[in-house]
Amino acid sequence: MFLEVRDAKKAYGQGDIKVQVLNGVNFNLEEKKICTILGPSGSGKSTILNVIGGLESIDSGDVTVDGITTSSLNSKDLAFYRRDKLGFIFQFYNLVPNLTVKENIEVCEYLTKTPLDIEELLKTLGLCEHQDKFPRQLSGGQQQRTAIARALIKNPKLLLCDEPTGALDYKTSKEILELLESVNRKYGTTMIIVTHNDAIKYMSHKVVKVRDGIIEDEYENEAIMEAKDITW
Ligand code: ADP
Ligand code: MG
């Protein structure tokens, strides 16, 4: 199995203010699949993503990604794991404001010996004409496309997306979803998408519903819809 989370438990704080955020999360994902994680605010979705991404530790349980058990790594090896295996996309893009589109992507290009071809990636993401602009000169959708390019330039095996369309209008959200779908098909990137948008489940191979720090429902779609055909 490409990704396995076994009985992951995590609390924030201690004593009276201790909040149990993950209550024994179990979940598997095969390589090259798209998985959507749904659930109410505060249910633990981002925490699950951050645990898989090696940004947060767990109190007990195991997380294994592509043969690496992250829960047993020291901080240096955890940094290598994030560098070598992962791309991250967030709701608010997190671009470096004083670097151009191309420079934002190049920052991550240098992290690997085997980057994707930057010109091809700029073309795939429709960024060629914007490559010399700064983030403030771009629309939200263009900024998110830059963030996706930055995450993908390392050709990561796993792309972790936390509310990737959360700040975007309908039309731009659809564009971003179509882009993620084409990236999944072109590069075989495994993706986990945390979202409030219920419709994204229709373009996902696997759907996971989280409530109060546990997975209350999960299923695999036998047939998935194309991103261009989903509506909400
Ligand atoms: P979701 O992404 O589903 O909205 P989160 O995973 O962000 O949920 O948060 C789950 C719970 O953990 C919430 O109750 C939140 O307040 C709490 N939480 C998240 N991060 C921290 C933190 N760094 N310190 C304390 N509590 C946190
Ligand atoms: Mg969240």
PDB file of all heavy atoms in Angstrom, residues 165-166 168-178 195-203 226-232:
ATOM      1  N   THR A 165      -9.243  25.136  -3.199  1.00  0.00           N
ATOM      2  CA  THR A 165     -10.141  26.066  -3.904  1.00  0.00           C
ATOM      3  C   THR A 165     -10.921  26.938  -2.917  1.00  0.00           C
ATOM      4  O   THR A 165     -11.850  27.639  -3.298  1.00  0.00           O
ATOM      5  CB  THR A 165     -11.144  25.298  -4.798  1.00  0.00           C
ATOM      6  OG1 THR A 165     -11.928  24.421  -3.964  1.00  0.00           O
ATOM      7  CG2 THR A 165     -10.432  24.456  -5.836  1.00  0.00           C
ATOM      8  N   GLY A 166     -10.517  26.893  -1.651  1.00  0.00           N
ATOM      9  CA  GLY A 166     -11.269  27.575  -0.588  1.00  0.00           C
ATOM     10  C   GLY A 166     -11.399  29.077  -0.763  1.00  0.00           C
ATOM     11  O   GLY A 166     -12.346  29.682  -0.269  1.00  0.00           O
ATOM     12  N   LEU A 168     -11.312  30.608  -3.835  1.00  0.00           N
ATOM     13  CA  LEU A 168     -11.516  30.898  -5.257  1.00  0.00           C
ATOM     14  C   LEU A 168     -12.995  30.862  -5.641  1.00  0.00           C
ATOM     15  O   LEU A 168     -13.789  30.137  -5.046  1.00  0.00           O
ATOM     16  CB  LEU A 168     -10.752  29.876  -6.100  1.00  0.00           C
ATOM     17  CG  LEU A 168      -9.241  29.824  -5.845  1.00  0.00           C
ATOM     18  CD1 LEU A 168      -8.606  28.688  -6.628  1.00  0.00           C
ATOM     19  CD2 LEU A 168      -8.579  31.147  -6.202  1.00  0.00           C
ATOM     20  N   ASP A 169     -13.347  31.637  -6.674  1.00  0.00           N
ATOM     21  CA  ASP A 169     -14.735  31.624  -7.164  1.00  0.00           C
ATOM     22  C   ASP A 169     -15.000  30.325  -7.938  1.00  0.00           C
ATOM     23  O   ASP A 169     -14.089  29.529  -8.183  1.00  0.00           O
ATOM     24  CB  ASP A 169     -15.015  32.863  -8.024  1.00  0.00           C
ATOM     25  CG  ASP A 169     -14.119  32.916  -9.258  1.00  0.00           C
ATOM     26  OD1 ASP A 169     -13.869  31.865  -9.875  1.00  0.00           O
ATOM     27  OD2 ASP A 169     -13.651  34.014  -9.598  1.00  0.00           O
ATOM     28  N   TYR A 170     -16.246  30.152  -8.318  1.00  0.00           N
ATOM     29  CA  TYR A 170     -16.682  28.904  -8.951  1.00  0.00           C
ATOM     30  C   TYR A 170     -15.858  28.551 -10.190  1.00  0.00           C
ATOM     31  O   TYR A 170     -15.306  27.455 -10.302  1.00  0.00           O
ATOM     32  CB  TYR A 170     -18.170  29.030  -9.333  1.00  0.00           C
ATOM     33  CG  TYR A 170     -18.746  27.775  -9.939  1.00  0.00           C
ATOM     34  CD1 TYR A 170     -19.187  26.731  -9.132  1.00  0.00           C
ATOM     35  CD2 TYR A 170     -18.837  27.631 -11.321  1.00  0.00           C
ATOM     36  CE1 TYR A 170     -19.715  25.574  -9.690  1.00  0.00           C
ATOM     37  CE2 TYR A 170     -19.355  26.481 -11.886  1.00  0.00           C
ATOM     38  CZ  TYR A 170     -19.797  25.457 -11.070  1.00  0.00           C
ATOM     39  OH  TYR A 170     -20.303  24.316 -11.623  1.00  0.00           O
ATOM     40  N   LYS A 171     -15.774  29.506 -11.096  1.00  0.00           N
ATOM     41  CA  LYS A 171     -15.109  29.224 -12.372  1.00  0.00           C
ATOM     42  C   LYS A 171     -13.627  28.888 -12.155  1.00  0.00           C
ATOM     43  O   LYS A 171     -13.103  27.938 -12.742  1.00  0.00           O
ATOM     44  CB  LYS A 171     -15.263  30.462 -13.275  1.00  0.00           C
ATOM     45  CG  LYS A 171     -14.773  30.272 -14.672  1.00  0.00           C
ATOM     46  CD  LYS A 171     -15.232  31.439 -15.553  1.00  0.00           C
ATOM     47  CE  LYS A 171     -14.404  31.521 -16.823  1.00  0.00           C
ATOM     48  NZ  LYS A 171     -13.073  32.121 -16.626  1.00  0.00           N
ATOM     49  N   THR A 172     -12.988  29.664 -11.297  1.00  0.00           N
ATOM     50  CA  THR A 172     -11.558  29.435 -11.046  1.00  0.00           C
ATOM     51  C   THR A 172     -11.349  28.127 -10.302  1.00  0.00           C
ATOM     52  O   THR A 172     -10.385  27.399 -10.550  1.00  0.00           O
ATOM     53  CB  THR A 172     -10.985  30.616 -10.248  1.00  0.00           C
ATOM     54  OG1 THR A 172     -11.438  31.824 -10.838  1.00  0.00           O
ATOM     55  CG2 THR A 172      -9.483  30.606 -10.242  1.00  0.00           C
ATOM     56  N   SER A 173     -12.270  27.795  -9.390  1.00  0.00           N
ATOM     57  CA  SER A 173     -12.178  26.511  -8.682  1.00  0.00           C
ATOM     58  C   SER A 173     -12.220  25.354  -9.673  1.00  0.00           C
ATOM     59  O   SER A 173     -11.451  24.399  -9.572  1.00  0.00           O
ATOM     60  CB  SER A 173     -13.335  26.352  -7.687  1.00  0.00           C
ATOM     61  OG  SER A 173     -13.266  27.340  -6.700  1.00  0.00           O
ATOM     62  N   LYS A 174     -13.132  25.457 -10.634  1.00  0.00           N
ATOM     63  CA  LYS A 174     -13.238  24.398 -11.648  1.00  0.00           C
ATOM     64  C   LYS A 174     -11.936  24.268 -12.435  1.00  0.00           C
ATOM     65  O   LYS A 174     -11.469  23.153 -12.717  1.00  0.00           O
ATOM     66  CB  LYS A 174     -14.390  24.707 -12.618  1.00  0.00           C
ATOM     67  CG  LYS A 174     -15.760  24.549 -12.005  1.00  0.00           C
ATOM     68  CD  LYS A 174     -16.414  23.231 -12.359  1.00  0.00           C
ATOM     69  CE  LYS A 174     -16.740  23.136 -13.827  1.00  0.00           C
ATOM     70  NZ  LYS A 174     -17.608  21.964 -14.095  1.00  0.00           N
ATOM     71  N   GLU A 175     -11.358  25.410 -12.792  1.00  0.00           N
ATOM     72  CA  GLU A 175     -10.080  25.392 -13.519  1.00  0.00           C
ATOM     73  C   GLU A 175      -9.001  24.667 -12.715  1.00  0.00           C
ATOM     74  O   GLU A 175      -8.245  23.861 -13.255  1.00  0.00           O
ATOM     75  CB  GLU A 175      -9.579  26.832 -13.710  1.00  0.00           C
ATOM     76  CG  GLU A 175     -10.025  27.502 -14.983  1.00  0.00           C
ATOM     77  CD  GLU A 175      -9.611  28.977 -14.953  1.00  0.00           C
ATOM     78  OE1 GLU A 175      -8.492  29.304 -14.487  1.00  0.00           O
ATOM     79  OE2 GLU A 175     -10.435  29.772 -15.370  1.00  0.00           O
ATOM     80  N   ILE A 176      -8.946  24.991 -11.428  1.00  0.00           N
ATOM     81  CA  ILE A 176      -7.912  24.381 -10.577  1.00  0.00           C
ATOM     82  C   ILE A 176      -8.157  22.874 -10.459  1.00  0.00           C
ATOM     83  O   ILE A 176      -7.223  22.068 -10.511  1.00  0.00           O
ATOM     84  CB  ILE A 176      -7.889  25.055  -9.186  1.00  0.00           C
ATOM     85  CG1 ILE A 176      -7.439  26.523  -9.309  1.00  0.00           C
ATOM     86  CG2 ILE A 176      -7.004  24.292  -8.195  1.00  0.00           C
ATOM     87  CD1 ILE A 176      -6.017  26.730  -9.802  1.00  0.00           C
ATOM     88  N   LEU A 177      -9.430  22.475 -10.319  1.00  0.00           N
ATOM     89  CA  LEU A 177      -9.736  21.046 -10.220  1.00  0.00           C
ATOM     90  C   LEU A 177      -9.386  20.317 -11.513  1.00  0.00           C
ATOM     91  O   LEU A 177      -8.849  19.202 -11.483  1.00  0.00           O
ATOM     92  CB  LEU A 177     -11.213  20.852  -9.869  1.00  0.00           C
ATOM     93  CG  LEU A 177     -11.604  21.357  -8.478  1.00  0.00           C
ATOM     94  CD1 LEU A 177     -13.113  21.225  -8.255  1.00  0.00           C
ATOM     95  CD2 LEU A 177     -10.843  20.625  -7.385  1.00  0.00           C
ATOM     96  N   GLU A 178      -9.666  20.947 -12.644  1.00  0.00           N
ATOM     97  CA  GLU A 178      -9.308  20.330 -13.923  1.00  0.00           C
ATOM     98  C   GLU A 178      -7.793  20.184 -14.052  1.00  0.00           C
ATOM     99  O   GLU A 178      -7.290  19.191 -14.577  1.00  0.00           O
ATOM    100  CB  GLU A 178      -9.871  21.158 -15.094  1.00  0.00           C
ATOM    101  CG  GLU A 178     -11.380  21.023 -15.200  1.00  0.00           C
ATOM    102  CD  GLU A 178     -11.970  21.870 -16.332  1.00  0.00           C
ATOM    103  OE1 GLU A 178     -11.338  21.979 -17.403  1.00  0.00           O
ATOM    104  OE2 GLU A 178     -13.057  22.423 -16.139  1.00  0.00           O
ATOM    105  N   THR A 195     -11.205  19.341   1.753  1.00  0.00           N
ATOM    106  CA  THR A 195     -12.080  20.370   1.184  1.00  0.00           C
ATOM    107  C   THR A 195     -13.431  20.461   1.887  1.00  0.00           C
ATOM    108  O   THR A 195     -13.892  19.511   2.504  1.00  0.00           O
ATOM    109  CB  THR A 195     -12.315  20.098  -0.325  1.00  0.00           C
ATOM    110  OG1 THR A 195     -13.129  21.133  -0.863  1.00  0.00           O
ATOM    111  CG2 THR A 195     -13.000  18.760  -0.548  1.00  0.00           C
ATOM    112  N   HIS A 196     -14.026  21.645   1.759  1.00  0.00           N
ATOM    113  CA  HIS A 196     -15.416  21.837   2.159  1.00  0.00           C
ATOM    114  C   HIS A 196     -16.355  21.601   0.990  1.00  0.00           C
ATOM    115  O   HIS A 196     -17.567  21.592   1.159  1.00  0.00           O
ATOM    116  CB  HIS A 196     -15.622  23.275   2.650  1.00  0.00           C
ATOM    117  CG  HIS A 196     -15.326  23.434   4.092  1.00  0.00           C
ATOM    118  ND1 HIS A 196     -14.147  23.971   4.552  1.00  0.00           N
ATOM    119  CD2 HIS A 196     -16.048  23.098   5.180  1.00  0.00           C
ATOM    120  CE1 HIS A 196     -14.168  23.958   5.864  1.00  0.00           C
ATOM    121  NE2 HIS A 196     -15.295  23.432   6.269  1.00  0.00           N
ATOM    122  N   ASN A 197     -15.758  21.486  -0.200  1.00  0.00           N
ATOM    123  CA  ASN A 197     -16.582  21.365  -1.401  1.00  0.00           C
ATOM    124  C   ASN A 197     -16.931  19.898  -1.655  1.00  0.00           C
ATOM    125  O   ASN A 197     -16.130  19.129  -2.181  1.00  0.00           O
ATOM    126  CB  ASN A 197     -15.834  21.963  -2.586  1.00  0.00           C
ATOM    127  CG  ASN A 197     -16.668  21.927  -3.841  1.00  0.00           C
ATOM    128  OD1 ASN A 197     -17.710  21.269  -3.885  1.00  0.00           O
ATOM    129  ND2 ASN A 197     -16.219  22.626  -4.857  1.00  0.00           N
ATOM    130  N   ASP A 198     -18.150  19.553  -1.301  1.00  0.00           N
ATOM    131  CA  ASP A 198     -18.654  18.194  -1.414  1.00  0.00           C
ATOM    132  C   ASP A 198     -18.515  17.616  -2.831  1.00  0.00           C
ATOM    133  O   ASP A 198     -18.304  16.419  -3.006  1.00  0.00           O
ATOM    134  CB  ASP A 198     -20.129  18.237  -1.012  1.00  0.00           C
ATOM    135  CG  ASP A 198     -20.588  16.916  -0.467  1.00  0.00           C
ATOM    136  OD1 ASP A 198     -19.935  16.402   0.465  1.00  0.00           O
ATOM    137  OD2 ASP A 198     -21.575  16.370  -1.005  1.00  0.00           O
ATOM    138  N   ALA A 199     -18.614  18.484  -3.839  1.00  0.00           N
ATOM    139  CA  ALA A 199     -18.639  18.004  -5.229  1.00  0.00           C
ATOM    140  C   ALA A 199     -17.312  17.394  -5.659  1.00  0.00           C
ATOM    141  O   ALA A 199     -17.280  16.577  -6.585  1.00  0.00           O
ATOM    142  CB  ALA A 199     -19.012  19.151  -6.165  1.00  0.00           C
ATOM    143  N   ILE A 200     -16.229  17.751  -4.978  1.00  0.00           N
ATOM    144  CA  ILE A 200     -14.916  17.227  -5.383  1.00  0.00           C
ATOM    145  C   ILE A 200     -14.872  15.700  -5.217  1.00  0.00           C
ATOM    146  O   ILE A 200     -14.111  15.004  -5.874  1.00  0.00           O
ATOM    147  CB  ILE A 200     -13.771  17.938  -4.611  1.00  0.00           C
ATOM    148  CG1 ILE A 200     -13.780  19.440  -4.955  1.00  0.00           C
ATOM    149  CG2 ILE A 200     -12.406  17.347  -4.927  1.00  0.00           C
ATOM    150  CD1 ILE A 200     -12.707  20.266  -4.259  1.00  0.00           C
ATOM    151  N   LYS A 201     -15.762  15.180  -4.355  1.00  0.00           N
ATOM    152  CA  LYS A 201     -15.782  13.712  -4.175  1.00  0.00           C
ATOM    153  C   LYS A 201     -16.078  12.970  -5.479  1.00  0.00           C
ATOM    154  O   LYS A 201     -15.623  11.851  -5.675  1.00  0.00           O
ATOM    155  CB  LYS A 201     -16.798  13.312  -3.101  1.00  0.00           C
ATOM    156  CG  LYS A 201     -18.242  13.521  -3.469  1.00  0.00           C
ATOM    157  CD  LYS A 201     -19.133  13.232  -2.264  1.00  0.00           C
ATOM    158  CE  LYS A 201     -20.593  13.488  -2.621  1.00  0.00           C
ATOM    159  NZ  LYS A 201     -21.435  13.575  -1.420  1.00  0.00           N
ATOM    160  N   TYR A 202     -16.818  13.617  -6.380  1.00  0.00           N
ATOM    161  CA  TYR A 202     -17.183  12.925  -7.624  1.00  0.00           C
ATOM    162  C   TYR A 202     -16.004  12.712  -8.564  1.00  0.00           C
ATOM    163  O   TYR A 202     -16.062  11.860  -9.433  1.00  0.00           O
ATOM    164  CB  TYR A 202     -18.299  13.687  -8.355  1.00  0.00           C
ATOM    165  CG  TYR A 202     -19.568  13.771  -7.547  1.00  0.00           C
ATOM    166  CD1 TYR A 202     -20.071  15.001  -7.120  1.00  0.00           C
ATOM    167  CD2 TYR A 202     -20.264  12.615  -7.183  1.00  0.00           C
ATOM    168  CE1 TYR A 202     -21.227  15.081  -6.363  1.00  0.00           C
ATOM    169  CE2 TYR A 202     -21.421  12.681  -6.420  1.00  0.00           C
ATOM    170  CZ  TYR A 202     -21.895  13.924  -6.015  1.00  0.00           C
ATOM    171  OH  TYR A 202     -23.032  13.992  -5.259  1.00  0.00           O
ATOM    172  N   MET A 203     -14.952  13.506  -8.413  1.00  0.00           N
ATOM    173  CA  MET A 203     -13.773  13.320  -9.281  1.00  0.00           C
ATOM    174  C   MET A 203     -12.657  12.577  -8.546  1.00  0.00           C
ATOM    175  O   MET A 203     -11.527  12.540  -9.016  1.00  0.00           O
ATOM    176  CB  MET A 203     -13.265  14.670  -9.809  1.00  0.00           C
ATOM    177  CG  MET A 203     -12.893  15.645  -8.728  1.00  0.00           C
ATOM    178  SD  MET A 203     -12.051  17.133  -9.339  1.00  0.00           S
ATOM    179  CE  MET A 203     -10.366  16.537  -9.518  1.00  0.00           C
ATOM    180  N   GLU A 226     -15.335  13.395 -14.653  1.00  0.00           N
ATOM    181  CA  GLU A 226     -14.284  14.332 -15.031  1.00  0.00           C
ATOM    182  C   GLU A 226     -14.545  15.656 -14.324  1.00  0.00           C
ATOM    183  O   GLU A 226     -15.695  16.055 -14.132  1.00  0.00           O
ATOM    184  CB  GLU A 226     -14.278  14.530 -16.543  1.00  0.00           C
ATOM    185  CG  GLU A 226     -13.842  13.276 -17.244  1.00  0.00           C
ATOM    186  CD  GLU A 226     -13.452  13.526 -18.698  1.00  0.00           C
ATOM    187  OE1 GLU A 226     -13.142  14.671 -19.043  1.00  0.00           O
ATOM    188  OE2 GLU A 226     -13.474  12.557 -19.443  1.00  0.00           O
ATOM    189  N   ALA A 227     -13.467  16.330 -13.967  1.00  0.00           N
ATOM    190  CA  ALA A 227     -13.602  17.586 -13.225  1.00  0.00           C
ATOM    191  C   ALA A 227     -14.480  18.584 -13.981  1.00  0.00           C
ATOM    192  O   ALA A 227     -15.252  19.323 -13.379  1.00  0.00           O
ATOM    193  CB  ALA A 227     -12.218  18.175 -12.960  1.00  0.00           C
ATOM    194  N   LYS A 228     -14.374  18.581 -15.308  1.00  0.00           N
ATOM    195  CA  LYS A 228     -15.154  19.563 -16.071  1.00  0.00           C
ATOM    196  C   LYS A 228     -16.662  19.305 -15.947  1.00  0.00           C
ATOM    197  O   LYS A 228     -17.463  20.207 -16.188  1.00  0.00           O
ATOM    198  CB  LYS A 228     -14.727  19.587 -17.541  1.00  0.00           C
ATOM    199  CG  LYS A 228     -15.063  18.346 -18.343  1.00  0.00           C
ATOM    200  CD  LYS A 228     -14.628  18.559 -19.799  1.00  0.00           C
ATOM    201  CE  LYS A 228     -14.758  17.342 -20.673  1.00  0.00           C
ATOM    202  NZ  LYS A 228     -16.002  16.579 -20.616  1.00  0.00           N
ATOM    203  N   ASP A 229     -17.041  18.097 -15.591  1.00  0.00           N
ATOM    204  CA  ASP A 229     -18.471  17.753 -15.525  1.00  0.00           C
ATOM    205  C   ASP A 229     -19.091  17.902 -14.138  1.00  0.00           C
ATOM    206  O   ASP A 229     -20.297  17.739 -13.993  1.00  0.00           O
ATOM    207  CB  ASP A 229     -18.678  16.310 -16.007  1.00  0.00           C
ATOM    208  CG  ASP A 229     -18.337  16.153 -17.484  1.00  0.00           C
ATOM    209  OD1 ASP A 229     -18.531  17.153 -18.220  1.00  0.00           O
ATOM    210  OD2 ASP A 229     -17.874  15.082 -17.876  1.00  0.00           O
ATOM    211  N   ILE A 230     -18.301  18.152 -13.113  1.00  0.00           N
ATOM    212  CA  ILE A 230     -18.916  18.282 -11.791  1.00  0.00           C
ATOM    213  C   ILE A 230     -19.418  19.710 -11.577  1.00  0.00           C
ATOM    214  O   ILE A 230     -18.853  20.676 -12.092  1.00  0.00           O
ATOM    215  CB  ILE A 230     -17.969  17.851 -10.630  1.00  0.00           C
ATOM    216  CG1 ILE A 230     -16.760  18.761 -10.506  1.00  0.00           C
ATOM    217  CG2 ILE A 230     -17.527  16.405 -10.784  1.00  0.00           C
ATOM    218  CD1 ILE A 230     -15.918  18.462  -9.282  1.00  0.00           C
ATOM    219  N   THR A 231     -20.515  19.814 -10.846  1.00  0.00           N
ATOM    220  CA  THR A 231     -21.100  21.148 -10.574  1.00  0.00           C
ATOM    221  C   THR A 231     -21.484  21.210  -9.106  1.00  0.00           C
ATOM    222  O   THR A 231     -21.641  20.181  -8.457  1.00  0.00           O
ATOM    223  CB  THR A 231     -22.373  21.380 -11.403  1.00  0.00           C
ATOM    224  OG1 THR A 231     -23.245  20.272 -11.203  1.00  0.00           O
ATOM    225  CG2 THR A 231     -22.082  21.552 -12.876  1.00  0.00           C
ATOM    226  N   TRP A 232     -21.630  22.408  -8.602  1.00  0.00           N
ATOM    227  CA  TRP A 232     -22.081  22.560  -7.220  1.00  0.00           C
ATOM    228  C   TRP A 232     -22.779  23.883  -7.033  1.00  0.00           C
ATOM    229  O   TRP A 232     -22.794  24.705  -7.925  1.00  0.00           O
ATOM    230  CB  TRP A 232     -20.919  22.419  -6.239  1.00  0.00           C
ATOM    231  CG  TRP A 232     -19.826  23.408  -6.386  1.00  0.00           C
ATOM    232  CD1 TRP A 232     -19.715  24.622  -5.748  1.00  0.00           C
ATOM    233  CD2 TRP A 232     -18.638  23.308  -7.191  1.00  0.00           C
ATOM    234  NE1 TRP A 232     -18.554  25.262  -6.115  1.00  0.00           N
ATOM    235  CE2 TRP A 232     -17.885  24.480  -7.003  1.00  0.00           C
ATOM    236  CE3 TRP A 232     -18.150  22.336  -8.080  1.00  0.00           C
ATOM    237  CZ2 TRP A 232     -16.661  24.725  -7.640  1.00  0.00           C
ATOM    238  CZ3 TRP A 232     -16.944  22.581  -8.712  1.00  0.00           C
ATOM    239  CH2 TRP A 232     -16.214  23.749  -8.505  1.00  0.00           C
TER     240      TRP A 232
END
